[in-house]
Amino acid sequence: MPIKECKILTQHLDVEGITDIEVYKQHGGYQAIEKVFKGMSPDDVITTIQDSALAGRGGAWFNTGMKWSFMPKEPDGPSYLCVNCDESEPGTFKDRHLIAKNPHQLLEGVIISAYAIRASAAYIYVRGEMWEEMVGMEAAIEQARAANLVGENILGSGVSIEVYTHPGAGAYICGEETGLMQSLEGKRAEPRVKPPFPAAKGIFSRPTTINNVQTVSYVSHIINNGPDWFKSMGSERYPGSFIFCVSGDVKNPGLFELEIGCCTLREIIDECAGGVRDDNDIKAVIPGGSSTPVMTPDQLDIVMNPELWAIPGRGEFQGMFGTGGIIVMDETRCMVDACLNLMMFYAHESCGQCTPCREGIPWVRDIVWRIEHGQGTPDDLKTLEDVCNNVAPLLSPAMSTICLFGPSWSYPMLGFLKCFRSEFEEHVKNKAIHA
Ligand SMILES: Cc1cc2nc3c(=O)[nH]c(=O)nc-3n(C[C@H](O)[C@H](O)[C@H](O)COP(=O)(O)O)c2cc1C
């Protein structure tokens, strides 16, 4: 059976003029806000989202309603919602499309989510490179303000919620939730030690919830259609859909919104993305953004349900689901070169706060550079493994850094060595580029 797309969030992305509030309303937009502000308490909204079992789509798959329930019910000052639109993970480009093509869908979710957690303001944190997307978001906020959906006394409810956009400067670490909070406060984006967790002490030392763009975009749909509708799709633990981003050596790269668990990784590549370009063979697939370990062609028949994949240290299948950024590499690709490309990225993006990252990732990058350029030695592979295992052993919960940036480069490095060791050895032996 051909794979059917499950268009919840992507349904209206290509409707002409959908960025305009009137067109958005003609397609059912802002009905959920009416429903919420005219008849639901904040706790009713939290219960609805909890009942839907919506899980965060920013990579960690934490239950959204539960996260919201950690926020104070009677705040003694301002509380905040932060929406994470940093999306710097190579291979991942879904949030960018959601915000660019249907900003009101996100905004409706933002206002309802802020109401539920009793936030007085919401910040939409947008990566610096997405300038046009941010300007589009600001236009949507102004339209919603004119319609009394943002700002003072929303729809006469007595509730006031301000919504701001905030540009980042284009750094990967700003996507990590505590790095994002630091950046939003105007500081260097050096992640914070947890606890305290953001719900206790977030931005400006006030209770804060941070959610991904895709997560928040589901909220109006769940309010409109009910939690049972959402739970009728996907798996029991992870209902609903997911937007996969397929890039690399495929015929038809793009975004595909699919029901969770409806098909395998191989089927997404072959059927949704049209298979490998020039009908070449697949050599390697990065399944969920560049920080997930690479996989080999024999591992691609795993069903795309995060429940089956490794949460580091657990899970039946030792691969990471991640952000849904599937990068396909065909037989013409050199794995040492591909690995070097990623390690250069991570070395550039380390915030420098923790020694294992600050020293470790430039060291790893330099060794891989040497190997790729015909200057590797037999000891190099062992050194690579030692450095990475000191930072975060592959898919183990252990790590020596404050945040998950350490595993974000150590897992892929160890993954390349695990799956393509012979290619690294060939480079060392032959002292040649692309051995
Ligand atoms: C290094 C690093 C980068 C991250 N980048 C992003 C990002 O760009 N967008 C995002 O939503 N989450 C990112 N996360 C995950 C966030 O820390 C956080 O878990 C997420 O925003 C929570 O939203 P959710 O509960 O809706 O998934 C990143 C995590 C790490 C460790």
Side-chain angles (χ1 to χ4, degrees):
M1 271 240 300
I3 301 171
K4 206 166 146 270
E5 285 198 61
C6 173
K7 295 196 169 201
I8 301 173
L9 304 183
T10 55
Q11 189 187 0
H12 295 133
L13 290 199
D14 294 323
V15 169
E16 198 166 335
I18 195 76
T19 54
D20 183 80
I21 193 164
E22 291 310 321
V23 180
Y24 179 67
K25 282 183 175 175
Q26 283 157 20
H27 288 81
Y30 289 120
Q31 284 176 6
I33 274 204
E34 295 260 351
K35 189 170 169 183
V36 165
F37 279 83
K38 298 204 165 145
M40 291 175 83
S41 69
D43 283 341
D44 289 341
V45 179
I46 293 183
T47 305
T48 305
I49 298 303
Q50 257 174 339
D51 288 349
S52 77
L54 173 65
R57 301 304 203 247
W61 294 87
F62 192 82
N63 184 288
T64 306
M66 188 185 291
K67 193 190 247 190
W68 291 4
S69 73
F70 299 150
M71 294 290 280
K73 304 268 181 240
E74 292 174 7
D76 57 1
S79 303
Y80 298 107
L81 172 71
C82 278
V83 180
N84 193 341
C85 189
D86 190 65
E87 199 171 54
S88 307
E89 176 87 357
T92 314
F93 43 91
K94 62 188 172 61
D95 297 341
R96 175 173 212 154
H97 271 263
L98 289 175
I99 183 173
K101 297 213 157 181
N102 198 348
H104 284 290
Q105 174 176 250
L106 173 65
L107 186 55
E108 187 171 9
V110 168
I111 300 159
I112 297 170
S113 307
Y115 171 75
I117 61 168
R118 298 162 172 92
S120 47
Y123 290 89
I124 304 175
Y125 185 97
V126 186
R127 174 151 55 91
E129 288 94 333
M130 302 187 200
W131 192 257
E132 282 174 25
E133 288 80 350
M134 202 186 65
V135 170
M137 194 70 226
E138 281 169 356
I141 294 170
E142 287 320 308
Q143 285 189 334
R145 188 190 306 285
N148 190 216
L149 297 164
V150 165
E152 299 280 312
N153 191 18
I154 294 172
L155 297 178
S157 63
V159 177
S160 301
I161 299 168
E162 199 42 74
V163 183
Y164 305 99
T165 58
H166 187 100
Y172 180 78
I173 201 60
C174 293
E176 196 281 334
E177 58 184 14
T178 62
L180 185 155
M181 294 192 304
Q182 290 283 101
S183 166
L184 216 143
E185 291 181 4
K187 300 172 185 152
R188 288 175 66 121
E190 292 177 336
R192 300 176 183 171
V193 177
K194 291 187 271 189
F197 290 96
K201 192 175 175 194
I203 48 170
F204 315 120
S205 297
R206 298 297 310 166
T208 303
T209 288
I210 301 189
N211 276 130
N212 167 263
V213 166
Q214 189 183 350
T215 313
V216 177
S217 298
Y218 282 114
V219 168
S220 62
H221 298 277
I222 295 171
I223 296 293
N224 280 330
N225 299 299
D228 289 341
W229 161 82
F230 195 68
K231 284 204 302 201
S232 69
M233 296 168 277
S235 77
E236 196 178 335
R237 183 156 167 208
Y238 297 118
S241 64
F242 192 67
I243 303 176
F244 294 96
C245 320
V246 189
S247 62
D249 300 329
V250 289
K251 290 179 187 155
N252 178 30
L255 294 176
F256 306 96
E257 184 175 7
L258 305 175
E259 190 172 341
I260 286 178
C262 78
C263 64
T264 64
L265 178 52
R266 192 185 304 281
E267 285 166 336
I268 294 183
I269 296 166
D270 285 346
E271 294 184 34
C272 300
V276 179
R277 62 168 186 175
D278 302 331
D279 293 324
N280 285 343
D281 287 333
I282 291 189
K283 182 167 183 182
V285 176
I286 294 175
S290 64
S291 58
T292 56
V294 67
M295 294 163 65
T296 46
D298 57 307
Q299 294 180 303
L300 307 182
D301 295 309
I302 172 88
V303 171
M304 297 310 277
N305 173 1
E307 230 170 299
L308 306 175
W309 291 60
I311 309 292
R314 294 186 271 139
E316 294 168 25
F317 175 73
Q318 290 298 295
M320 276 177 79
F321 196 89
T323 61
I326 299 169
I327 305 170
V328 178
M329 290 175 271
D330 75 8
E331 58 190 304
T332 66
R333 299 287 171 185
C334 164
M335 289 299 106
V336 182
D337 187 35
C339 177
L340 174 60
N341 185 301
L342 290 186
M343 294 309 125
M344 286 171 73
F345 169 75
Y346 285 109
H348 184 262
E349 297 297 329
S350 166
C351 78
Q353 184 179 201
C354 310
T355 311
C357 271
R358 187 182 59 246
E359 303 297 327
I361 180 60
W363 190 5
V364 162
R365 173 205 55 200
D366 291 349
I367 295 175
V368 180
W369 190 93
R370 278 208 307 270
I371 297 173
E372 166 65 2
H373 291 84
Q375 299 164 22
T377 67
D379 286 345
D380 279 344
L381 303 196
K382 171 91 177 47
T383 311
L384 283 174
E385 278 169 341
D386 284 350
V387 175
C388 290
N389 284 328
N390 270 295
V391 174
L394 188 57
L395 297 176
S396 135
M399 62 182 202
S400 58
T401 50
I402 287 176
C403 85
L404 285 164
F405 184 82
S408 298
W409 57 266
S410 120
Y411 288 179
M413 183 64 242
L414 290 169
F416 271 106
L417 281 177
K418 185 173 160 206
C419 293
F420 296 102
R421 192 179 188 90
S422 59
E423 223 167 299
F424 285 77
E425 286 169 345
E426 282 283 292
H427 272 67
V428 171
K429 195 165 143 225
N430 298 335
K431 299 251 174 255
I433 301 173
H434 302 333

